[in-house]
């Protein structure tokens, strides 16, 4: 998404995640995006490109996290 001069967001592309996306957070440096998916407790990781593009890096299943809500980075 891009900011317009009026401050509104404009959709520029879609990126698929695993089912049940509930939350997302960026790394402190803004280079990575982590997306929590509640259906199976998976966290998807993406690299944020200079133009805001997302490149999939991988995913991990978090034991006991299915149905969970909330993600944080540090």
């Amino acid at each position: 998404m891009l900011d317009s001069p009026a401050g509104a967001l404009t959709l520029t592309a879609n990126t698929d995640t695993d089912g049940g996306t509930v939350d997302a957070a960026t790394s402190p440096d803004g280079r990575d995006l982590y997306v929590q998916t509640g259906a199976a407790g998976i966290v998807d990781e993406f690299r944020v490109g200079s133009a805001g593009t997302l490149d999939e890096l991988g995913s991990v299943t978090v034991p006991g996290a299915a149905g969970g809500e909330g993600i944080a980075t540090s």
Side-chain angles (χ1 to χ4, degrees), residues 35-69:
V35 179
Q36 177 190 12
T37 62
I42 295 172
V43 175
D44 295 322
E45 181 183 11
F46 300 89
R47 175 63 41 96
V48 180
S50 60
T53 57
L54 297 176
D55 294 315
E56 186 174 0
L57 296 177
S59 62
V60 63
T61 301
V62 180
E69 294 188 24

Side-chain angles (χ1 to χ4, degrees), residues 1-21:
M1 292 194 174
L2 299 174
D3 291 324
S4 73
L9 296 175
T10 302
L11 180 64
T12 57
N14 287 324
T15 301
D16 291 334
T17 64
D18 284 290
T21 301

Side-chain angles (χ1 to χ4, degrees), residues 26-40:
T26 59
S27 59
D29 62 10
R31 294 182 62 197
D32 297 305
L33 173 70
Y34 303 96
V35 179
Q36 177 190 12
T37 62

